[in-house]
Amino acid sequence: MARVVVTGGAGFLGSHLCHRLLERGDEVVCLDNLITGSITNIEDLFGNPRFSYVELDVSTFIHVPGDVDAVLHFASPASPIDFERIPIQILKVGSLGTHNALGLAKAKGAKFFLASTSEVYGDPLVHPQSETYWGNVNPIGPRGVYDEAKRFAEAMTMAYHRHHGLDVRIVRIFNTYGPQMRPDDGRAVSNFIVQALQGQDITVFGDGNQTRSFTYVDDEVLGFLALLDSDVVGPVNIGNPNEFTILQLAEIVIDITGSSSKIIHEPLPVDDPMQRKPDITKATELLGWKPEIELREGITKAAAYFERVLRSGD
């Protein structure tokens, strides 16, 4: 059993991670300021004696009493709608929050795990994207607040690794979806499913030929744990290499939900990447990990979740 701190533990990915860590017998300290996370995502854990929650903005400070074996830094808004709504907070949690989380890991002699992102590749000129690709990011565009926050976080993590000898892991996450996403998350999967279930037009930006590689959350979290338990520093891409156009995604959602929704097109947002596909050679060869859940199966599960949420009004 390990004692693990998860920042952003009430968020989409963080909450799934808290559940998995507890299932395997670890003790979990969840930190979250609830700016995008939700108590609903973790309320079933409050009766577990190995789980504790502290409402905290990790950009200000982090104090966790007692021993800590690992610090998993997942705190950060990650949705396109947040880039315009709370850009300063995103930059702060990527810089100050990462610094504070690294400081905690160093003080406790703990392993540090950084949740980075495929957004460090920007609008890639290399396809598929391997971890050796340095990316094509616009640092002053509206997406730059998230992209550059994560790139800085990676640089800070590696500086602690080289300078202080801190044991670190870096994962680059690709387009993950599934239960516990916000209905108003602003990402394609959640947008399309909610629009379809409500009989609204499905909004596709641009011509819909831009591509993404969608990973179901259960696969993603198993990849996190495989990396955490390995001796691989990273960065390591954890994503599903099956590539779909946004238009294909919309059509799959309509088919699975049985919706009468029509697809409409709106202008493409600034710096929206035209293609995204992970090279998962490192994950497969070094971690023995690969995704198992195909898109249609994952969308079916996600649609059932959103239907429950919309029915309950939560």
Side-chain angles (χ1 to χ4, degrees):
M1 183 180 74
R3 187 165 188 251
V4 182
V5 173
V6 181
T7 75
F12 167 44
L13 289 177
S15 61
H16 279 276
L17 188 55
C18 287
H19 280 81
R20 285 282 185 171
L21 289 165
L22 289 166
E23 284 173 9
R24 74 180 199 169
D26 293 336
E27 181 181 346
V28 174
V29 180
C30 169
L31 310 179
D32 204 299
N33 66 353
L34 303 180
I35 192 170
T36 56
S38 172
I39 289 294
T40 304
N41 291 339
I42 55 171
E43 61 185 354
D44 61 318
L45 301 180
F46 281 92
N48 190 321
R50 289 183 285 107
F51 178 78
S52 59
Y53 166 71
V54 179
E55 186 169 338
L56 179 69
D57 181 353
V58 299
S59 299
T60 57
F61 72 100
I62 304 176
H63 172 68
V64 176
D67 294 336
V68 173
D69 298 296
V71 177
L72 280 56
H73 185 38
F74 278 74
S76 179
S79 300
I81 59 171
D82 297 326
F83 302 163
E84 181 177 355
R85 184 174 67 92
I86 45 174
I88 307 303
Q89 289 94 325
I90 291 171
L91 285 163
K92 280 186 173 182
V93 76
S95 55
L96 300 174
T98 302
H99 192 199
N100 291 337
L102 283 162
L104 175 66
K106 178 175 177 288
K108 301 292 186 178
K111 184 183 298 182
F112 180 81
F113 185 105
L114 175 67
S116 188
T117 173
S118 62
E119 296 298 327
V120 300
Y121 299 124
D123 189 4
L125 305 177
V126 171
H127 196 71
Q129 295 82 58
S130 72
E131 295 87 349
T132 58
Y133 178 51
W134 292 356
N136 178 40
V137 173
N138 176 5
I140 59 171
R143 299 178 71 96
V145 296
Y146 183 66
D147 300 0
E148 294 294 1
K150 289 296 189 180
R151 287 161 70 93
F152 176 87
E154 288 194 13
M156 177 71 83
T157 297
M158 290 307 299
Y160 264 72
H161 175 61
R162 296 187 182 106
H163 189 69
H164 294 300
L166 191 67
D167 188 16
V168 305
R169 307 286 183 271
I170 299 174
V171 63
R172 290 178 178 165
I173 300 167
F174 280 73
N175 296 95
T176 309
Y177 70 97
Q180 295 174 204
M181 292 182 83
R182 291 178 287 160
D184 61 349
D185 182 83
R187 286 179 267 198
V189 171
S190 51
N191 275 2
F192 291 177
I193 292 177
V194 170
Q195 289 170 338
L197 290 173
Q198 295 181 331
Q200 302 171 352
D201 291 334
I202 289 184
T203 306
V204 170
F205 294 113
D207 61 11
N209 288 320
Q210 64 271 36
T211 67
R212 297 293 184 270
S213 299
F214 301 101
T215 315
Y216 190 70
V217 64
D218 289 355
D219 280 336
E220 192 74 31
V221 173
L222 289 176
F224 298 160
L225 296 180
L227 177 58
L228 177 67
D229 295 338
S230 76
D231 58 1
V232 179
V233 170
V236 177
N237 292 335
I238 298 292
N240 193 319
N242 293 328
E243 187 179 13
F244 294 85
T245 68
I246 296 299
L247 201 54
Q248 285 175 318
L249 173 66
E251 291 165 348
I252 288 170
V253 168
I254 289 172
D255 182 47
I256 286 174
T257 59
S259 175
S260 60
S261 296
K262 305 299 182 185
I263 296 174
I264 63 171
H265 295 264
E266 293 193 359
L268 197 66
V270 176
D271 296 331
D272 191 62
M274 288 307 298
Q275 54 188 1
R276 188 61 55 77
K277 176 181 178 177
D279 180 334
I280 62 168
T281 302
K282 285 180 70 172
T284 301
E285 294 182 353
L286 300 180
L287 306 180
W289 175 89
K290 64 178 181 179
E292 302 290 343
I293 299 173
E294 296 297 331
L295 184 61
R296 289 189 67 90
E297 178 186 355
I299 293 295
T300 301
K301 293 180 178 183
Y305 165 77
F306 281 115
E307 190 169 19
R308 290 194 301 272
V309 169
L310 293 173
R311 193 185 308 122
S312 69
D314 290 344

